[in-house]
């Protein structure tokens, strides 16, 4: 499902974040050390190969709400933007921190002339953020920032299950 807001297309699809061949940048739901892990981080590091950990090392550790950019190595993309989401029920101001992740990732994309970026549902796996709340934060943040975007033209959300895809599609439908 797609929606266009001010010349920017927002897409929601079911898929694997490590297989987004037509996107310039993919976002990693990272850990603070920017190392491989489970879920998204595992898929991204497996796809990119060991050079990704090597390049990431110089930026680690990052704090919740922060984002950094690296190359994508063997992934079919030019860049990986690594975001550390909040751990639900543990980090304070988790809604603000999750918002910061989307905001900083888009700012970094703008600074690097990136036209297309794919996000996973940051913090909604191992970090336990309830998917509906996280979806509303992701979509409202993106919508808020769209008027300031000059380079980014496509923002894709890649969901891992039909359930999560349906939640995103409903929320995108209702986004005005
Ligand atoms: N493509 C797209 N989405 C995926 C994929 C994939 N290949 N795999 C899982 N998801 P998570 P977090 C979904 O746990 O909650 C890691 O171990 C998943 O269903 O990857 O931010 C890191 O090392 C969920 O909806 O990220 C960190 O320690 C969403 O992506 C920690 O987990 C995010 O799940 C980060 O936890």
């Amino acid at each position: 499902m797609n929606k266009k807001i001010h010349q920017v297309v927002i897409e929601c699809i079911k898929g694997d974040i490590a297989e987004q061949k037509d996107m310039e940048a993919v976002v990693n739901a990272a850990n603070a050390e920017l190392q491989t892990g489970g879920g998204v981080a595992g898929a991204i590091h497996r796809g990119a190969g060991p050079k990704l950990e090597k390049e990431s090392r110089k930026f680690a550790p990052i704090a919740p709400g922060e984002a950094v950019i690296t190359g994508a190595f063997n992934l079919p993309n030019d860049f990986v933007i690594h975001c550390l989401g909040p751990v639900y029920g543990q980090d304070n101001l988790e809604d603000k921190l999750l918002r910061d992740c989307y905001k900083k990732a888009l700012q970094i994309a703008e600074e690097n002339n990136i036209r297309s970026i794919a996000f996973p549902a940051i913090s909604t796996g191992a970090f336990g953020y309830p998917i509906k709340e996280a979806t509303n934060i992701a979509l409202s943040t993106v919508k808020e920032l769209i008027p300031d975007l000059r380079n980014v033209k496509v923002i894709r959300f890649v969901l891992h299950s039909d359930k999560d895809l349906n939640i995103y599609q409903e929320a995108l439908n209702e986004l005005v």
Side-chain angles (χ1 to χ4, degrees):
M1 176 193 173
N2 293 356
K3 188 164 193 161
K4 203 168 187 177
I5 303 180
H6 297 285
Q7 308 310 313
V8 177
V9 177
I10 306 178
E11 304 175 352
C12 297
I13 64 162
K14 185 180 157 190
D16 185 336
I17 194 72
E19 291 177 3
Q20 303 304 310
K21 297 184 173 59
D22 53 341
M23 293 281 114
E24 269 180 58
V26 286
V27 173
N28 183 15
N31 47 65
E33 298 303 326
L34 303 174
Q35 290 176 352
T36 189
V40 168
I44 287 202
H45 280 271
R46 269 193 307 279
K51 286 185 181 163
L52 181 59
E53 269 195 352
K54 205 170 164 220
E55 189 190 350
S56 303
R57 207 169 289 146
K58 58 181 182 233
F59 301 113
I62 63 168
E66 282 186 359
V68 295
I69 187 166
T70 66
F73 303 98
N74 297 334
L75 284 168
N77 317 99
D78 296 328
F79 302 101
V80 177
I81 299 175
H82 307 257
C83 294
L84 178 60
V87 178
Y88 193 77
Q90 191 173 308
D91 288 318
N92 287 329
L93 300 174
E94 49 216 357
D95 51 345
K96 180 192 174 293
L97 293 175
L98 188 57
R99 201 170 280 283
D100 284 349
C101 285
Y102 288 97
K103 221 172 173 173
K104 294 206 177 136
L106 285 174
Q107 281 166 357
I108 289 175
E110 277 290 296
E111 287 162 14
N112 287 275
N113 298 321
I114 289 167
R115 295 176 62 82
S116 52
I117 179 168
F119 285 95
I122 300 168
S123 281
T124 66
F127 285 176
Y129 217 112
I131 182 74
K132 281 194 181 164
E133 285 175 43
T135 304
N136 289 334
I137 290 172
L139 291 179
S140 63
T141 306
V142 160
K143 192 194 133 193
E144 234 172 75
L145 291 177
I146 277 181
D148 300 330
L149 300 178
R150 296 290 169 269
N151 298 315
V152 176
K153 300 289 178 216
V154 181
I155 300 171
R156 176 179 294 167
F157 292 98
V158 180
L159 291 318
H160 213 41
S161 67
D162 288 322
K163 178 182 146 278
D164 291 355
L165 177 63
N166 285 338
I167 290 169
Y168 260 79
Q169 282 177 333
E170 265 180 38
L172 185 57
N173 237 339
E174 286 164 14
L175 197 70
V176 283

